[in-house]
Amino acid sequence: MKLMQPADGSGVGPRTPGVAAGRLDAEALARNFDDIAPPLSDHEALVAADRCYFCYDAPCITACPTAIDIPLFIREIATGAPEAAARTIFDANILGGMCARVCPTETLCEQACVREAAEGRPVEIGRLQRYATDILMAQGEHPFSRAGATGRRVAVVGAGPAGLACAHRLAMLGHDVVIYEAKPKGGGLNEYGIAAYKTPDGFAQAELDWLLGIGGIEIRHGQALGRAVTLEGLRAEHDAVFLGMGLGGVKALGLGDLEGVRPAVEFIAELRQAEELAALPIGRRVVVVGGGMTAIDAAVQSKLLGADEVTIVYRRGRDRMAASGHEQEHALGAGVRIVSGAVPVALHGEDRLQAVECAYTRDGSAGLEVTGERFTLPADQLFVAIGQSLAGVPDGLAVEGGKIQVGAGGRTGLEGVWAGGDCTPGGEDLTVTAVAQGRDAAMDINAALTGAGAARAAE
Amino acid sequence: MADLRCDFVGIKSPNPFWLASAPPTDKEYNVRRAFEAGWGGVVWKTLGTDPPIVNVNGPRYGAVWGADRRLLGLNNIELITDRPLDVNLREIKAVKRDYPDRAMVVSLMVPCEEEAWRAILGMVEETGADGVELNFGCPHGMSERGMGSAVGQVPEYIEMVARWCKAHTRMPVIVKLTPNITDIRYPARAAHRGGADAVSLINTVSSITGVDLDSFSPEPSIDGKGSHGGYCGPAVKPIALNMVAEIARDPETRGLPISGIGGVTTWRDAAEFIALGAGSVQVCTAAMTYGFKVVQEMIAGLEQWMDAKGHANLDAIRGRAVPNVTDWQYLNLNYVTKARIDQDVCIKCGRCYAVCEDTSHQAIAMKPGRVFEVIDAECVACNLCVNVCPVENCITMERLEAGALDERTGQVVRPEYANWTTHPNNPMARAAE
Ligand SMILES: Cc1cc2nc3c(=O)[nH]c(=O)nc-3n(C[C@H](O)[C@H](O)[C@H](O)COP(=O)(O)OP(=O)(O)OC[C@H]3O[C@@H](n4cnc5c(N)ncnc54)[C@H](O)[C@@H]3O)c2cc1C
Ligand SMILES: Cc1cc2nc3c(=O)[nH]c(=O)nc-3n(C[C@H](O)[C@H](O)[C@H](O)COP(=O)(O)O)c2cc1C
Ligand code: SF4
């Protein structure tokens, strides 16, 4: 793991009590939040690409939610045509640049790689994807052009991965798109959620600008559905509506309010938007509740900011955590402690949090049971990462398991309304899944708008 | 421990690994270090007449690479030594004096005149060298001046020069052959007729390694222009092996000692050349790729293999594969095999399926779960699946025993040997006796 040094001079360091800013000096922070997987050099990429067997009907393609033709793009890299490789990637996944950085490849394409089965060392698909996409994106020009204008207008709600993938594909097919976005910046969780060291140097905004280079997409910020605009209004003014608003709400712990307790996503968003990491306060002792990527990211980044002790408390066994083994290892390597099989049962502290009381759990006949065996973790901060939830579903949409119900192609029950990404069920809540669903919905919208779908149905 | 000592036409060396005539043997400094590293002998870089030739002053080499920039083929447009004759002769004498147990062969290339050859042979003899190698092989530069492969491509010239040399020296004469001909047996027979003690082969193969797609110049490029060079290294080994085998089994040249050259990179390559009849092997590209130290791997590997197989010395392996090299028409058509895929080691890449389905005989089935199985009724046993499979020994060829049914032909495998010469489809078939 990266080095951590106490800040010089100020007297503030990892062991300073309470919640404090500047536990590490600027240099250590810069190092800690630097690119976690630096780009491959040309030679490294050639060597890595050469390991691909160009499998028939390759399992990695099946394992990629966006079904990128992986053997083809790797062969294109191997033969010295990285721009062609990037085209192959973007054809399937316009956010291939971000996905190359954030996809848990160890549970997706690289898990399916035959070399993973053969020797426990898959082809480095993610890093190769980054290599190719970086090269093409650095050239500044947008690689796609739009089909002739159809005169159709589509509203997209949310400029996250789902909304952007949908908008880009629609724009490419000749439709005009308006994205209604609640926040001041686009990108969704790419901008506000993903761990900082996975996408440093403002990549999320750079990618967004590059994507918009296709033309025909207008983003209107501060336009929250349910407040500034209504679904009825959007339907009236557009030929179709795509909902890609993700999961805006957070699940609460239900142990009362106390200063020092906050949703992990809020802390992460603040961190992602921080001008200066040294100004960001962090506790000496931090507890994170949850078992997913958000919990891991909150814990690791707390540690990287200089927290002295960081503990993840997860209610079941580690094998049941939503975070992959690779991510768990990453957290452990960063010095995070993972306590599994336990839940917080009480928060202690006068005006602010001082300790989290937990109880061990066991699998009982009625599911998970809390035992009487308890322990207490001193804590200055508690980040809650037990899941996000759908916020403000417009009337008329069926909700299933806390998500907007959709059929094939992302069609909702409402005529002319599609949805995709985290706000819908199906697949894991991942950037790449959101991209796939946004893209597929765009194809379905296009079919509906141009009559291709109707024509096919008639055949 | 196996005995690697080598006696090639009376030239003795502690092992059969000689450095071929090329830059590694172009000066005393190199050759001393090569001997210290363990090389059994050298063929000194080709000497010519003074004034020395000049080389180009831009790149001399082009290359072809495999994975991880592994050098597979090297191409050069270098000429013979560009140092004065007396300097080379003096150095040869000094090195031979200090390393009397190593083979010191001197490569020569002078104009096609008897007097030129007679003169230089006398000077070489003076150095105490063990033998000479006549360079009739360089395919570039020198050939434009009527030397090198310009001689090697005309059997009559080879015979003539070999005869002159035999007449004017007591040293063993080795004729180095060019592969840039249509049938290697003709130049080899010519050398034999001229009285040469041995042949060595191959010299480099005429080649262009590539074209620069920006400047449209062949590689290596000299000021925007390129000239064909000579190709060598691992890529040429199969060509060299075949030529060595052709000479070894030709009734006219059978028994003529051969120094095998071309792509020898490991002990295994060397063992293969020896098995096809080579008495010594010569190495250039492997040394130019990895340095002199590679010889230590070659020696250790050859020893280990010979020990494991119980081969006491080089005589025990030399030429052992020659009787098994035959003409296609004599191959046993009753030898029937089928591909077998070992499901336990299969990694399910599907390459065998892709190639058999697209380019061969649709003899591999892809079953649910990416299970690949050979369809015996379609498999012609071509071996392509074996060759493309990334896992060694995952796909193998299994012989159908006599009496078994070949599902492809619907016929029972017959026990006797039968070849094309007696096959009913052969219009020239002779009745089997
Ligand atoms: C902390 C964290 C870390 C993660 N790390 C990874 C990772 O490493 N790899 C990975 O693959 N996935 C990761 N994920 C998951 C991934 O970020 C999401 O699956 C993905 O962003 C979903 O895309 P989306 O477009 O559906 O939603 P979002 O990215 O959430 O985008 C929704 C957009 O809609 C806007 N919006 C919301 N409500 C409204 C409204 N009412 N009106 C208008 N606009 C609205 C939002 O502002 C946002 O811009 C992580 C998630 C979190 C929370
Ligand atoms: C740069 C270079 C220069 C060579 N010069 C000579 C030469 O002067 N005389 C000669 O007989 N062969 C010459 N050769 C050919 C080598 O001796 C040898 O026959 C050939 O390279 C094949 O062996 P290899 O595959 O081990 O390199 C040269 C080869 C190279 C690469
Ligand atoms: S040996 Fe040839 S024909 Fe038989 S399965 Fe393999 S590729 Fe197909």
Side-chain angles (χ1 to χ4, degrees), chain A residues 133-170:
Chain A
T133 52
D134 276 0
I135 287 177
L136 191 68
M137 289 172 80
Q139 294 174 356
E141 254 169 67
H142 190 82
F144 298 97
S145 51
R146 300 183 66 194
T150 62
R152 304 297 186 131
R153 274 164 57 85
V154 182
V156 167
V157 178
L164 290 174
C166 181
H168 184 273
R169 182 56 62 102
L170 288 168

Side-chain angles (χ1 to χ4, degrees), chain B residues 10 26 57 77 92 124 171 182 185 213 240 242 261 358 413:
Chain B
D26 199 4
N57 296 299
I77 53 169
I92 291 167
V124 173
M171 294 182 289
T182 41
R185 291 173 301 183
L213 292 180
N242 174 54
I261 320 171
D358 290 357
V413 177

